[in-house]
Amino acid sequence: PDQLWALGYGWDNVHYFDSADLSVVSLDRFVEAVTQYLAQQRGEPVPQVDIVAHSLGVTLVRQWMLQTNN
């Protein structure tokens, strides 16, 4: 029932993520899309999404949490 989704970080990624504020919107859209997909697959709301970040990805996730109150 659980799924793992992975994103790349930096210039070698198709969708460029970095620690800038502009990437917060992209990350928010991604988390929302995954949440909606999982809710549709399960037939019930998804109470949480766990994010594991490494290195500068932590900076992006922290900024996302601050800006979206997650």
Side-chain angles (χ1 to χ4, degrees):
D2 296 328
Q3 295 194 20
L4 175 66
W5 297 70
L7 298 173
Y9 183 91
W11 293 105
D12 61 342
N13 187 17
V14 175
H15 299 288
Y16 178 65
F17 288 92
D18 64 13
S19 60
D21 285 343
L22 294 175
S23 290
V24 169
V25 175
S26 296
L27 179 58
D28 193 49
R29 287 183 191 150
F30 178 79
V31 171
E32 182 63 28
V34 168
T35 303
Q36 287 179 3
Y37 170 79
L38 292 173
Q40 182 181 16
Q41 293 295 311
R42 293 179 175 190
E44 61 186 16
V46 175
Q48 76 179 44
V49 174
D50 296 328
I51 297 177
V52 178
H54 171 69
S55 193
L56 288 174
V58 174
T59 304
L60 171 58
V61 172
R62 288 182 69 202
Q63 193 59 255
W64 170 75
M65 290 170 53
L66 286 170
Q67 290 185 26
T68 62
N69 295 313
N70 285 314

